Amino acid sequence: MSKAGMLYIERDTLFHRLDGAVKLLMLLAWTVIVFLFQDIRVFIVLFLLGIGLLKSAQLPWTRIRLLVWVIIVFNIFNSIFTILVSPAYGSEVNGTTTVLIDLGYEVLTLETVFYILTLSMKYMSLMPISVLFVYTTHPTRFAGSVNRLGVPYKIAYAFNIAFRYIPDLKKDFLSISNAMQARGVGLARGEGTIVQRLKHYAAIAIPLVQSSLARIDTVANAMDLRGFGKHAKRTWYSSSPWGRVDVIVVIVCAVVLAVSITVRVKGFGTFWYPF
């Protein structure tokens, strides 16, 4: 797996200097806080805070835009699916009904539209911290950090391989698609209808899976030849102890998480509908 193809982007910022395990704990705390609440005001605050943190990491837009667009497209499809399947679900959650459109089989209510907006902001509030974690965490250093927290090194190494494998999977996808286009298969915009292009993209799955299985077999054989898993413990080439900033970040995350749980238990954070 190519080192040059890693998702990690080298920079000298606070997030790049943080230990990988600390960033994982921060991501977990952030995720728990997001799913504790159903209030769009909380999600807007988290989203703006996350955008500020993302900007401080100095990550180039050209490198992170794919993941950002994947999350945005997921939100769009999820919203459309929710409207089609349960156009009045927001009214069930809020207890009021304000009809916007009669769809024939059901009515679309204002409460549902606001519920979908809230749900979209929930997922979008996770986007900045997810991008930060993926692109500022070096795979090898992250595996060593997680292992030091008590996670078995086999599982930690699986994280390492997964981080390194994603760019290779993208490279294989581009190679296969370019080969298919060279043979006259239409994949680009304007080269057939959307349905035809989707069928062509689906045809990429078989050679992509085959190349992935071949790479997995190669990596597994290489690890077996080097005696991976023989010993109960192992050392890491890239591993460093926590610094003062790492400890402070963990403490702040723990305090914020505890406050969030307390506030939620007291009743704040249910579905907020201002109209």
Side-chain angles (χ1 to χ4, degrees):
M1 284 168 280
S2 174
K3 182 178 180 181
M6 289 190 303
L7 294 175
Y8 175 73
I9 301 174
E10 185 70 46
R11 290 288 188 275
D12 185 20
T13 67
L14 173 63
F15 270 94
H16 288 81
R17 292 190 295 269
L18 284 176
D19 186 83
V22 173
K23 282 182 278 191
L24 176 61
L25 294 174
M26 183 178 179
L27 174 64
L28 293 176
W30 191 290
T31 304
V32 170
I33 292 172
V34 167
F35 282 94
L36 276 175
F37 298 98
Q38 196 65 19
D39 193 321
I40 193 172
R41 296 170 295 182
V42 176
F43 302 144
I44 291 175
V45 171
L46 289 174
F47 177 74
L48 294 177
L49 177 61
I51 292 296
L53 296 175
L54 184 60
K55 187 176 180 180
S56 69
Q58 302 175 12
L59 300 176
W61 168 248
T62 54
R63 292 284 299 277
I64 68 174
R65 63 183 177 186
L66 177 61
L67 180 57
V68 173
W69 279 113
V70 167
I71 297 174
I72 292 175
V73 171
F74 167 78
N75 260 324
I76 293 174
F77 277 102
N78 182 67
S79 300
I80 295 174
F81 182 78
T82 304
I83 289 176
L84 293 176
V85 174
S86 304
Y89 182 73
S91 296
E92 298 177 13
V93 174
N94 193 60
T96 62
T97 302
T98 306
V99 178
L100 290 179
I101 303 174
D102 188 350
L103 300 177
Y105 64 94
E106 187 61 274
V107 292
L108 176 63
T109 64
L110 180 61
E111 290 81 2
T112 300
V113 172
F114 196 82
Y115 174 81
I116 292 173
L117 180 61
T118 301
L119 194 62
S120 297
M121 280 306 305
K122 175 194 283 282
Y123 296 131
M124 289 303 296
S125 64
L126 287 170
M127 181 269 294
I129 196 68
S130 300
V131 172
L132 275 172
F133 177 74
V134 170
Y135 288 97
T136 66
T137 305
H138 192 282
T140 303
R141 291 197 290 268
F142 172 70
S145 301
V146 171
N147 179 230
R148 195 166 59 248
L149 287 179
V151 177
Y153 74 85
K154 293 181 181 179
I155 298 178
Y157 202 80
F159 280 107
N160 184 7
I161 293 178
F163 269 106
R164 293 178 180 274
Y165 181 68
I166 293 173
D168 287 336
L169 188 65
K170 177 184 176 182
K171 182 180 179 181
D172 287 345
F173 175 83
L174 292 176
S175 298
I176 295 170
S177 63
N178 289 336
M180 292 179 66
Q181 290 182 78
R183 290 169 172 80
V185 177
L187 295 174
R189 182 180 300 177
E191 298 180 350
T193 64
I194 295 179
V195 175
Q196 291 174 333
R197 287 162 58 196
L198 288 176
K199 288 182 179 179
H200 294 160
Y201 274 112
I204 299 177
I206 295 178
L208 185 62
V209 170
Q210 290 176 339
S211 65
S212 300
L213 292 176
R215 179 176 283 105
I216 291 171
D217 186 58
T218 302
V219 173
N221 290 334
M223 293 173 69
D224 287 338
L225 288 172
R226 288 163 174 80
F228 182 83
K230 178 181 179 181
H231 302 289
K233 295 182 179 180
R234 62 160 291 170
T235 58
W236 299 87
Y237 179 77
S238 299
S239 182
S240 58
W242 284 11
R244 181 181 300 176
V245 177
D246 296 308
V247 176
I248 292 175
V249 170
V250 171
I251 293 174
V252 170
C253 289
V255 171
V256 174
L257 180 60
V259 171
S260 301
I261 294 175
T262 302
V263 171
R264 184 66 185 88
V265 169
K266 290 185 177 181
F268 176 81
T270 56
F271 178 60
W272 179 71
Y273 182 70
F275 305 109

